[in-house]
Amino acid sequence: MSQSKRPRIDPALMRGLTLPRTGSRALSRRDLFKYAGAGAGAVSMAAVLAACGGDESDPAGNGGDTSVDPATIYAGQPNGELVFANWPLYLDFAKDQETGERYSPSLRMFEEETGIAVTYAVDINDNASFFGEIQPILANGDTPAYDIIVITNGREFTALTQNEWVWPLDPSKRPNFDANAAKWAKDPTFDPDNKYSMAWQSGLTGIGYIPDKVKGGAITKMDDLADPAKVGQGTVGMLKADMPDFVMINLGIDPISSTPAEWQEAANWLTMQRDSGTVRQYYDQGYADDLKAGNLAASMAWSGDVLYYNIWEGNPMEFVFPEGGALLWIDNMLIPTNASNPLDAMTMMDFYYQPEVAQMVTEWVLYMSPVPATQDLILEHAEEVAADGDEAYAGQLEESGTSNYLYPSDEFLERTSFARDLTTDEELEEWDSIFLPISEG
């Protein structure tokens, strides 16, 4: 369906019917990524291979298939159904005024336009544990329960693609992606030519701080997190999994091509910071709660969390893109090998690259949309809401649509990097031997 024929989104659908955004946000999507310390650092390639009964000489286990042809996988007609596994708080939701039913407007639109029924499963609470559940099935070549899964770039993503436990995509089946995807979503370093993946949402790891808690003006750079005169003693939060790459970026080191000697440079800065006395805690999750409570003056932070608390809850948090740069990450849609409905899945993945569909998700989740055209649509929506007399909601939408952290400029993105892709046990062991003693020592 072309955009010109699509009905305008009723503002009531986006607000009057949308579930409340205020109130408790005990665990954000990125909080859950780190939940229970089961983040990327919890998985080793050895554990992956041991779990599937394979070894490094046979990394594909029994499930890998290097001869698969995308044209064959996606041939024929859709089966009319699919199962989509995603994270909590990562899709637009509303309440039906007549029935009280909670539903996703964008999913309902997809089902009505395509005739494909969707089972939406909020089954992913962290990459490592979800990967542990599906890996034996994929390695044995069995049929998985899901047709689409969402995995962050990192150890689990690398294991899935290296072992060919996910189908390659058919480029001819993604016209909306080709037309509308952001530059950062195309040809990412961890998946050249988007062979296996299409971005669902993305975000930045930078610095969040409370202006009244710091001295001498705004925080602008990573070194401020190691300056007791600026932030005080025991008032800084650091994110365990992200901090090695974040520090390398701010030291002028490219994480993607970094060497163990450069990892040690980052470790030296982290040790200096720890010895300065500014660090309160090394977090898996929960830093935002301490920031809100005033226990932290500043912290490494995920852009969507700070935007949410500032725009929708009115907390006096500021998100800073440090002078040295920020860490960029992507949560990616993938189709598991032997999925029952691959064509249905690919149809849905491309559906979400239509700007007005992507807008529905972005206004709800407040992370970086892979469809930059959503920015103008959100601002148009703000004007419509203002015309209806809801100035407060219009202001929130306008703030979302003009945020550099929701829509980072090219200049910002040029100063971001993805994390180091660790692909062997030797790399994983050396990385952990350098960084874990700092946060756990």
Side-chain angles (χ1 to χ4, degrees):
M1 183 176 182
S2 69
Q3 292 178 33
S4 61
K5 294 179 180 178
R6 186 184 301 285
R8 293 288 297 166
I9 300 172
D10 183 349
L13 185 67
M14 302 305 297
R15 206 230 175 152
L17 298 180
T18 300
L19 296 174
R21 296 299 309 270
T22 57
S24 175
R25 198 193 199 204
L27 287 175
S28 73
R29 178 256 169 279
R30 294 296 294 173
D31 286 337
L32 288 161
F33 170 64
K34 309 298 180 184
Y35 187 64
V43 173
S44 75
M45 294 304 294
V48 167
L49 296 172
C52 71
D55 56 36
E56 294 192 38
S57 64
D58 180 22
N62 297 319
D65 184 353
T66 60
S67 61
V68 66
D69 178 6
T72 301
I73 297 169
Y74 303 99
Q77 299 298 314
N79 293 326
E81 62 182 1
L82 68 86
V83 181
F84 179 15
N86 204 348
W87 301 71
L89 308 175
Y90 226 25
L91 184 68
D92 56 305
F93 280 99
K95 181 181 290 185
D96 189 299
Q97 284 186 318
E98 295 182 358
T99 66
E101 174 192 5
R102 185 175 186 266
Y103 73 102
S104 165
S106 64
L107 278 185
R108 180 173 290 184
M109 183 182 291
F110 173 77
E111 293 179 322
E112 292 175 350
E113 290 191 10
T114 66
I116 298 171
V118 180
T119 300
Y120 186 71
V122 184
D123 285 354
I124 308 176
N125 286 324
D126 66 78
N127 288 297
S129 64
F130 182 75
F131 176 81
E133 293 175 8
I134 64 172
Q135 181 274 336
I137 298 168
L138 301 175
N140 286 331
D142 295 333
T143 300
Y146 310 105
D147 298 296
I148 303 174
I149 58 176
V150 178
I151 300 293
T152 313
N153 60 290
R155 297 186 185 191
E156 293 79 16
F157 183 97
T158 300
L160 287 166
T161 55
Q162 279 190 340
N163 291 305
E164 297 183 319
W165 290 333
V166 287
W167 287 129
L169 304 179
D170 184 345
S172 72
K173 303 293 185 185
R174 53 186 185 198
N176 291 315
F177 174 86
D178 291 341
N180 300 317
K183 288 186 289 186
W184 54 259
K186 292 185 174 180
D187 194 28
T189 56
F190 55 83
D191 185 24
D193 297 323
N194 298 94
K195 180 178 180 180
Y196 296 102
S197 68
M198 293 163 63
W200 173 249
Q201 303 291 302
S202 178
L204 301 169
T205 300
I207 299 172
Y209 78 102
I210 307 296
D212 289 345
K213 294 283 186 179
V214 302
K215 298 178 181 177
I219 284 181
T220 60
K221 57 187 181 300
M222 180 179 73
D223 282 347
D224 288 339
L225 300 180
D227 182 0
K230 184 79 174 179
V231 295
Q233 293 280 347
T235 59
V236 169
M238 298 295 287
L239 295 170
K240 290 180 185 176
D242 288 1
M243 66 186 192
D245 295 292
F246 175 79
V247 172
M248 279 195 279
I249 292 168
N250 281 276
L251 292 177
I253 298 167
D254 179 2
I256 295 172
S257 60
S258 62
T259 65
E262 291 169 320
W263 304 349
Q264 189 59 57
E265 286 186 49
N268 291 343
W269 187 93
L270 287 163
T271 301
M272 176 278 295
Q273 183 204 29
R274 183 188 63 190
D275 294 345
S276 76
T278 62
V279 177
R280 172 185 173 88
Q281 186 174 330
Y282 297 95
Y283 289 87
D284 291 312
Q285 52 87 28
Y287 76 91
D289 290 336
D290 272 347
L291 203 57
K292 284 173 57 183
N295 296 324
L296 295 175
S299 179
M300 289 179 62
W302 297 307
S303 54
D305 281 0
V306 177
L307 284 173
Y308 174 86
Y309 285 118
N310 179 256
I311 294 175
W312 291 103
E313 293 198 354
N315 282 286
M317 294 183 186
E318 298 287 342
F319 184 79
V320 175
F321 190 103
E323 292 176 358
L327 178 65
L328 176 66
W329 45 263
I330 296 178
D331 290 333
N332 306 276
M333 293 183 284
L334 300 157
I335 301 176
T337 301
N338 295 325
S340 300
N341 306 294
L343 180 56
D344 306 72
M346 186 119 199
T347 301
M348 181 174 178
M349 290 162 64
D350 194 58
F351 175 84
Y352 274 92
Y353 275 83
Q354 297 176 84
E356 291 189 354
V357 177
Q359 175 200 359
M360 300 166 80
V361 178
T362 301
E363 287 191 5
W364 215 89
V365 304
L366 285 188
Y367 273 103
M368 285 169 53
S369 170
V371 181
T374 56
Q375 183 171 24
D376 286 343
L377 293 175
I378 291 174
L379 294 175
E380 290 175 11
H381 188 193
E383 292 177 358
E384 293 171 357
V385 171
D388 288 342
D390 193 340
E391 295 292 341
Y393 184 41
Q396 290 168 320
L397 287 171
E398 183 173 0
E399 190 171 355
S400 301
T402 56
S403 171
N404 284 327
Y405 309 121
L406 196 60
Y407 295 100
S409 66
D410 288 343
E411 185 270 335
F412 273 16
L413 288 176
E414 288 174 359
R415 295 190 289 118
T416 68
S417 174
F418 291 119
R420 179 65 153 81
D421 201 7
L422 303 168
T423 59
T424 68
D425 262 355
E426 289 74 19
E427 286 184 336
L428 291 164
E429 290 170 2
E430 185 157 10
W431 179 277
D432 288 345
S433 72
I434 290 173
F435 292 111
L436 287 183
I438 298 171
S439 59
E440 298 180 358

